Amino acid sequence: MPYKFYRYGREKRIPIQGRSPLCRAGDDAYNLGFGIDVLGGKNLAWVLSRLCVEADALPAEYEEFTLRTWISDFNRLASTRNFTLTDSAGREFCRAVSQWCMIDFTTRMPADMKTVACMHEGVIVDAPSPCERPRRIRAVEGVVAAEHRVVYSDIDFNRHMNTMRYIDIMCDVMPIETLERMQSMRLDLNFMREARYGDVLTLRMDGDGSTREFEYRNGEGEALCRAAFEIRG
Amino acid sequence: MPYKFYRYGREKRIPIQGRSPLCRAGDDAYNLGFGIDVLGGKNLAWVLSRLCVEADALPAEYEEFTLRTWISDFNRLASTRNFTLTDSAGREFCRAVSQWCMIDFTTRMPADMKTVACMHEGVIVDAPSPCERPRRIRAVEGVVAAEHRVVYSDIDFNRHMNTMRYIDIMCDVMPIETLERMQSMRLDLNFMREARYGDVLTLRMDGDGSTREFEYRNGEGEALCRAAFEIRG
């Protein structure tokens, strides 16, 4: 059954930092037989290429909800994994679309897509993504809003900066009142290069108020990640 | 049944950042009727005063384990909540003891212990803490290892820096090789004052190699939190 459902409630509550929904992609990949346990042995890894998250409302403390995740398709460039969150009344209040590519760590290049094709057999769900897919974000100039050295608590098992830390640091340079007032939002993320342990990043920000664009660059001035954050209502 | 058991496995895997076990204190308090939902209405909140964590081994990715948590006692100063983690063979490999006090946010003083006494009726388990309780750590001088402004991604719903972020930043100033080699460890934490949003903290570190002591101070030079981190084996 390629649709996966997870119930979150008092006993399975999401941590405040909200890392769990994205972790479920890893859990599901594991259950489908192409998790990091299998890929690691082949020197392959899934790498997040684009992500968007849309929320109409934010769940209250202790509120129960259901997470649904499925793969809708894959092509030459990426495999698309979708998520929805539904409240106890069955109303969808959050959705996400993530696009993943596979990297061969021996060559540090995208892996042969035939490997991915065979892994996707029988696991594609014939259902569209739940919202407009991650959009392409153009170069961002703006002003330097933060400088950040990638430290131990930022990294995953590949020694790359974790997606949630990219989002954390963008939030940290926004006014706290904007974030605390937030009712609904849409966030688009494009990853171009990895941020590695010890790298010193600069974060550029353009726009203000409820619509902002961000770009992380490394010490060589190369763009690593771009984001568009729209706070609605 | 005052002992609480939680199973972690493929479907309930702990996030890498490992925030969940401590979150279970909140879940259990909620189920016992003195969670933040009830306390918030009375302007009361649990505040972590001391914590120790001891691990003989670290679980591998996807490994299943069981978390057990219980309250062993309370006194004039603190309520003691204990934790153990047991692997699928039934072997205990991690334990923690946490001491909590209750703060009245109207007066910003410790709450009347009689309130706590009545809340503890029938929930105390007659079993000792699973390891030596959090020890008192003396003032730490050493050298300034980091300066940190408390930002949005550091704080909890009280706008205080989250316990895990205290631990993250201590890890970030240690050599990554020491942390990656770590097989077993003991960490003691003493909290004296809250670190609030916007505060600029200095982190002092004394010792090196496998035994280090830390002290966070605020802009006024007051000690906020002290820690002793022992990496074994």
Side-chain angles (χ1 to χ4, degrees):
Chain A
M1 193 199 62
Y3 268 100
K4 299 289 152 140
F5 293 89
Y6 298 96
R7 292 278 301 161
Y8 288 85
R10 289 179 198 171
E11 297 297 300
K12 287 176 119 174
R13 190 159 55 90
I14 240 169
I16 289 164
Q17 287 73 10
R19 281 173 169 85
S20 289
L22 211 57
C23 287
R24 289 303 182 194
D27 287 349
D28 196 28
Y30 175 92
N31 291 326
L32 293 174
F34 47 80
I36 53 168
D37 56 327
V38 173
L39 296 183
K42 297 180 179 167
N43 233 353
L44 298 171
W46 288 111
V47 174
L48 185 60
S49 130
R50 291 192 184 180
L51 172 69
C52 69
V53 182
E54 227 178 59
D56 311 325
L58 301 176
E61 185 90 33
Y62 298 121
E63 205 170 304
E64 300 206 1
F65 60 87
T66 301
L67 170 72
R68 190 173 58 139
T69 178
W70 72 101
I71 302 170
S72 54
D73 59 83
F74 78 96
N75 59 30
R76 196 172 49 83
L77 294 169
S79 169
T80 304
R81 173 175 289 281
N82 308 284
F83 302 87
T84 60
L85 300 185
T86 312
D87 68 16
S88 49
R91 199 182 35 158
E92 183 187 300
F93 65 93
C94 186
R95 54 204 78 83
V97 182
S98 57
Q99 295 174 328
W100 302 77
C101 38
M102 195 174 273
I103 297 290
D104 184 332
F105 279 117
T106 316
T107 60
R108 298 203 80 85
M109 297 290 286
D112 186 343
M113 282 296 127
K114 277 178 289 193
T115 318
V116 186
C118 102
M119 284 177 172
H120 280 76
E121 257 169 43
V123 303
I124 304 285
V125 177
D126 186 22
S129 289
C131 61
E132 186 209 334
R133 294 189 167 199
R135 71 178 180 86
R136 185 171 168 275
I137 302 161
R138 283 166 307 178
V140 177
E141 291 300 329
V143 295
V144 175
E147 193 173 89
H148 180 79
R149 189 170 61 86
V150 179
V151 291
Y152 180 76
S153 63
D154 295 329
I155 58 174
D156 61 19
F157 64 95
N158 284 329
R159 283 203 180 182
H160 297 167
M161 190 153 93
N162 181 292
T163 301
M164 283 311 302
R165 290 297 293 152
Y166 282 97
I167 299 173
D168 279 348
I169 298 165
M170 293 191 295
C171 289
D172 292 343
V173 300
M174 296 176 70
I176 192 170
E177 296 74 19
T178 305
L179 295 160
E180 290 192 334
R181 260 199 321 263
M182 181 166 73
Q183 296 291 319
S184 64
M185 51 75 82
R186 174 167 169 118
L187 173 65
D188 286 85
L189 278 164
N190 296 177
F191 291 96
M192 284 94 86
R193 286 178 181 80
E194 58 209 5
R196 300 188 208 192
Y197 179 73
D199 285 353
V200 177
L201 314 182
T202 50
L203 173 61
R204 289 180 170 266
M205 177 169 69
D206 206 359
D208 53 20
S210 55
T211 306
R212 290 164 197 257
E213 298 205 325
F214 296 91
E215 183 172 302
Y216 283 94
R217 297 185 193 170
N218 63 15
E220 285 73 50
E222 296 168 319
L224 306 178
C225 168
R226 292 181 186 143
F229 202 161
E230 187 193 344
I231 293 180
R232 303 166 172 173
Chain B
M1 193 199 61
Y3 268 100
K4 298 288 152 138
F5 293 89
Y6 298 95
R7 292 280 299 162
Y8 288 84
R10 290 180 198 170
E11 297 297 300
K12 289 176 119 176
R13 190 159 55 91
I14 240 171
I16 289 163
Q17 287 73 13
R19 281 171 168 87
S20 289
L22 212 57
C23 288
R24 289 302 183 193
D27 288 347
D28 196 28
Y30 175 92
N31 292 326
L32 293 173
F34 47 79
I36 53 167
D37 55 326
V38 172
L39 296 183
K42 297 179 178 167
N43 232 351
L44 298 171
W46 287 111
V47 175
L48 186 60
S49 134
R50 290 191 185 181
L51 172 69
C52 69
V53 182
E54 230 178 58
D56 311 326
L58 302 176
E61 185 90 34
Y62 300 120
E63 205 169 304
E64 300 205 2
F65 61 88
T66 300
L67 170 70
R68 191 173 59 140
T69 177
W70 73 100
I71 303 170
S72 54
D73 60 82
F74 77 96
N75 59 30
R76 197 172 48 83
L77 294 170
S79 171
T80 304
R81 172 175 291 280
N82 307 285
F83 302 86
T84 60
L85 299 185
T86 311
D87 68 16
S88 51
R91 198 181 37 157
E92 183 186 300
F93 65 94
C94 185
R95 52 204 79 83
V97 182
S98 57
Q99 295 174 327
W100 301 77
C101 38
M102 196 176 271
I103 297 291
D104 185 332
F105 278 115
T106 317
T107 60
R108 297 205 79 87
M109 298 288 287
D112 185 344
M113 283 296 127
K114 277 180 289 195
T115 318
V116 185
C118 104
M119 285 178 173
H120 279 77
E121 258 170 42
V123 303
I124 304 286
V125 176
D126 186 22
S129 288
C131 62
E132 186 209 336
R133 293 187 169 201
R135 71 178 181 85
R136 185 172 168 275
I137 301 160
R138 284 165 307 178
V140 177
E141 291 300 330
V143 295
V144 175
E147 193 172 89
H148 180 79
R149 189 170 62 84
V150 180
V151 290
Y152 180 76
S153 63
D154 295 328
I155 58 174
D156 61 19
F157 64 95
N158 284 328
R159 283 203 182 183
H160 297 167
M161 190 153 94
N162 181 290
T163 301
M164 283 311 302
R165 289 298 291 152
Y166 282 97
I167 299 173
D168 280 348
I169 298 165
M170 292 189 297
C171 289
D172 293 342
V173 300
M174 295 175 70
I176 192 169
E177 295 74 20
T178 305
L179 295 161
E180 290 192 335
R181 257 200 322 264
M182 180 166 73
Q183 296 291 319
S184 65
M185 51 77 82
R186 175 168 168 116
L187 173 66
D188 287 86
L189 278 164
N190 296 176
F191 291 96
M192 285 95 86
R193 287 177 181 81
E194 58 209 5
R196 300 188 209 191
Y197 178 74
D199 285 353
V200 177
L201 315 182
T202 50
L203 172 62
R204 287 180 171 267
M205 178 168 70
D206 206 359
D208 53 21
S210 56
T211 306
R212 290 163 197 257
E213 298 205 324
F214 296 90
E215 184 173 301
Y216 283 95
R217 297 184 193 171
N218 62 17
E220 285 73 50
E222 297 169 319
L224 306 178
C225 168
R226 291 180 187 143
F229 202 161
E230 189 194 341
I231 293 179
R232 303 165 173 173

